[in-house]
Amino acid sequence: GVVTLYAILIFSFLENLLQLYLTKRQIKVYRTSKNVPEELTDVMTVETFEKARVYGLDKAQFGIFKLIICDMILASIELYYGFVAFIWSYAIDVTSTLSLDPSNEIQVSLVFVLLINLIGTVKDLPFKIYGTFVLEEKHGFNKQTAGFFVKDQIKSLVVAQLLSLPVVAAIIFIVQRGGDYFFIWLWAFVGVVSLVLITVYPVYIAPLFDKFRPLEEGELRTSIENLASKLKFPLGQLFVVEGSKRSAHSNAYFTGLFGVKRIVLFDTLLWNKGKKDDDPELKEEDKGKGCSDKEVLAVLAHELGHWKLGHITKNIVIMQVQLFLIFIVFAQLFKYSPLYEAVGFRNGVEPILIGLLVIVMYVLAPYNTVVSIVMTILSRRFEYQADDFAKKLGYHKELGSSLIKLHIDNLGFPIYDWLYSALNHSHPTLLQRLGKLTDEAREDEKKRS
């Protein structure tokens, strides 16, 4: 058990050290970059560049602070002193107090999950409050009131429990009753649940947190519908989400796995938040922000490119294969006592849920790290392909200008350390994407001439 514990501690320390080193490299970039890159001199003012630089620096330093406190110090202390085992024995006491059956592993596990989630929420809260009301506030992105924030946190805590508790109960039940090949049943169950969640979330859960309104009739709506039918995209509904109640960051996405899909645009993506110039609700600071209709179409052409090129399906297949491998490893290892001893359990107490957590979080940590790097590289490839798809539909210019606008509205910083970016970014950087778009455009012109 001790050997396992030290192996876990050492690996997690090294992993955090790497992240620390990468972030330090990026901080150096924030500190030393003083000039707008020449590709952006026409579109990015020195003032915006400076704002983005300070915002990036603040975020990175806050990230380092959180990494050291939570992931390096707290996590190591918890591991070393068997925090998980302590909470488990506390969960047994709570189960008795609630007149439930403390010998029933499923009941104890559910109490354990509740306790861990509550503790996690409390630990995370100071960082969330600082991130929202100090950091985002200082840079003009926070739109949440304290009341909205509190309601939002409570809602998300409750929703998370309602979703996770039945799943946890079912997982333990399957492991207990599933026989030698339980991992196949487990995989089928978790696979189905994840697909159901992807389908249910946008329709029933997302509206609990944000307000969705149908995109009003008009040129933008008509041209989106035309684009969708041209690509044979089964568009059901078109929504605008009032993301601006939460923050000023902007985006667009589509949801729905089977059959009809819905496209969701953030109101911050639209010109003047999709309101008329003389709309009394339109605030002065929002005027002239956002993308023109044609730029919104370019952003959507990129998103629909992901769909048309099968990126979504490929990601789901990879996810299911991943799950299957994880459950096979779990089935092989979960009877191995030192895993439980490493996190503080004694004399043959080996709860199924703890085994799953230890194997997924700690034993598979090196594997997870490799997979996440490979997925990051794949994701960047997919982004380039989707850009190319939008370009082939004739949105070359608008895609470039919308990327720049979104970048500027979100105060993105255009310069990155290459190693930091390679290991952390699921999207290529703005300059890489613009560079690729212009290179390809030049090549196309050569071909034509």
Side-chain angles (χ1 to χ4, degrees):
V2 177
V3 178
T4 314
L5 172 64
Y6 283 118
I8 291 172
L9 282 169
I10 289 167
F11 184 80
S12 91
F13 181 74
L14 290 175
E15 199 174 22
N16 288 323
L17 211 56
L18 173 68
Q19 195 48 51
L20 203 60
Y21 167 70
L22 292 174
T23 311
K24 285 277 190 206
R25 286 182 63 121
Q26 180 56 26
I27 283 182
K28 193 176 158 200
V29 172
Y30 288 133
R31 288 223 161 102
T32 52
S33 308
K34 295 292 178 209
N35 302 319
V36 182
E38 56 185 76
E39 303 94 318
L40 298 177
T41 41
D42 302 344
V43 285
M44 195 174 199
T45 61
V46 178
E47 186 195 8
T48 306
F49 179 80
E50 186 54 25
K51 274 187 188 166
R53 190 182 74 81
V54 178
Y55 180 48
L57 189 58
D58 281 358
K59 274 199 303 192
Q61 284 172 330
F62 177 52
I64 282 193
F65 175 70
K66 192 178 172 187
L67 179 80
I68 292 173
I69 300 284
C70 291
D71 301 342
M72 293 180 98
I73 299 174
L74 274 177
S76 306
I77 292 173
E78 285 177 5
L79 258 171
Y80 189 79
Y81 288 107
F83 175 72
V84 172
F86 170 73
I87 299 294
W88 181 266
S89 64
Y90 185 59
I92 294 176
D93 299 342
V94 174
T95 314
S96 316
T97 317
L98 296 173
S99 320
L100 296 163
D101 175 7
S103 64
N104 180 323
E105 192 179 323
I106 291 184
Q107 292 181 13
V108 179
S109 297
L110 294 183
V111 175
F112 172 80
V113 169
L114 271 175
L115 289 170
I116 285 283
N117 286 344
L118 283 169
I119 294 166
T121 304
V122 171
K123 272 198 304 202
D124 215 26
L125 210 54
F127 296 99
K128 270 201 181 130
I129 292 170
Y130 180 87
T132 308
F133 293 104
V134 180
L135 208 152
E136 295 283 306
E137 182 78 40
K138 173 182 163 187
H139 297 280
F141 286 118
N142 175 40
K143 300 284 183 252
Q144 302 185 37
T145 59
F148 179 89
F149 178 83
V150 171
K151 267 196 232 154
D152 202 51
Q153 297 304 316
I154 293 171
K155 264 193 286 193
S156 50
L157 185 68
V158 171
V159 169
Q161 306 323 304
L162 291 175
L163 294 174
S164 63
L165 292 174
V167 174
V168 167
I171 286 175
I172 297 166
F173 180 79
I174 291 169
V175 177
Q176 287 173 338
R177 309 284 165 89
D180 290 342
Y181 291 103
F182 75 81
F183 59 90
I184 295 177
W185 300 113
L186 196 54
W187 174 65
F189 169 72
V190 174
V192 168
V193 166
S194 55
L195 296 181
V196 166
L197 275 182
I198 296 173
T199 315
V200 167
Y201 186 84
V203 186
Y204 298 107
I205 301 171
L208 298 172
F209 295 97
D210 294 300
K211 232 172 104 182
F212 289 79
R213 64 168 199 261
L215 177 64
E216 46 281 341
E217 294 298 328
E219 265 178 53
L220 181 60
R221 192 183 174 104
T222 315
S223 37
I224 292 175
E225 285 165 349
N226 293 342
L227 176 66
S229 65
K230 179 173 150 189
L231 299 175
K232 302 192 168 49
F233 179 79
L235 176 62
Q237 298 128 315
L238 248 173
F239 287 106
V240 176
V241 59
E242 295 188 5
S244 54
K245 282 216 171 51
R246 190 175 292 282
S247 92
H249 295 295
S250 40
N251 209 334
Y253 62 93
F254 71 87
T255 57
L257 273 185
F258 311 107
V260 187
K261 302 178 194 303
R262 43 176 65 192
I263 288 180
V264 179
L265 309 168
F266 278 58
D267 58 358
T268 40
L269 176 69
L270 307 176
W271 187 252
N272 290 349
K273 291 201 176 156
K275 297 183 169 116
K276 305 246 179 328
D277 283 337
D278 48 11
D279 191 319
E281 280 183 17
L282 182 66
K283 295 187 185 123
E284 208 39 60
E285 71 213 47
D286 295 328
K287 281 192 181 164
K289 271 200 168 167
C291 293
S292 69
D293 286 2
K294 195 135 191 227
E295 287 168 338
V296 173
L297 279 176
V299 172
L300 278 180
H302 167 97
E303 290 303 324
L304 296 181
H306 283 306
W307 167 78
K308 197 78 175 173
L309 300 165
H311 295 165
I312 316 294
T313 317
K314 285 174 193 166
N315 277 332
I316 287 174
V317 170
I318 293 171
M319 181 178 87
Q320 299 298 346
V321 172
Q322 283 287 83
L323 278 173
F324 193 60
L325 294 174
I326 287 171
F327 290 143
I328 288 179
V329 173
F330 171 63
Q332 297 303 318
L333 291 181
F334 83 112
K335 293 269 195 243
Y336 181 64
S337 305
L339 291 183
Y340 300 90
E341 288 160 19
V343 291
F345 285 85
R346 296 287 168 264
N347 47 12
V349 181
E350 298 180 3
I352 291 167
L353 180 64
I354 304 292
L356 186 61
L357 290 177
V358 171
I359 289 167
V360 171
M361 282 172 61
Y362 302 126
V363 178
L364 288 174
Y367 167 77
N368 293 339
T369 306
V370 173
V371 167
S372 95
I373 291 172
V374 172
M375 290 305 289
T376 306
I377 294 168
L378 184 69
S379 165
R380 286 198 293 258
R381 258 193 71 169
F382 283 170
E383 291 306 319
Y384 281 133
Q385 289 173 356
D387 281 352
D388 190 49
F389 181 84
K391 199 197 81 186
K392 288 196 168 83
L393 284 175
Y395 291 107
H396 161 246
K397 216 170 107 225
E398 290 77 20
L399 184 62
S401 58
S402 69
L403 285 175
I404 292 169
K405 261 191 195 168
L406 290 179
H407 203 77
I408 289 175
D409 286 353
N410 289 328
L411 273 193
F413 191 66
I415 307 168
Y416 284 99
D417 174 74
W418 69 272
L419 191 61
Y420 174 85
S421 182
L423 294 177
N424 280 310
H425 284 158
S426 59
H427 287 54
T429 65
L430 175 69
L431 294 180
Q432 287 170 331
R433 288 173 77 176
L434 292 175
K436 195 101 166 165
L437 281 170
T438 14
D439 291 347
E440 285 170 353
R442 280 196 201 114
E443 274 169 34
D444 289 354
E445 271 173 24
K446 270 187 201 153
K447 278 178 200 160
R448 278 194 211 109
S449 58

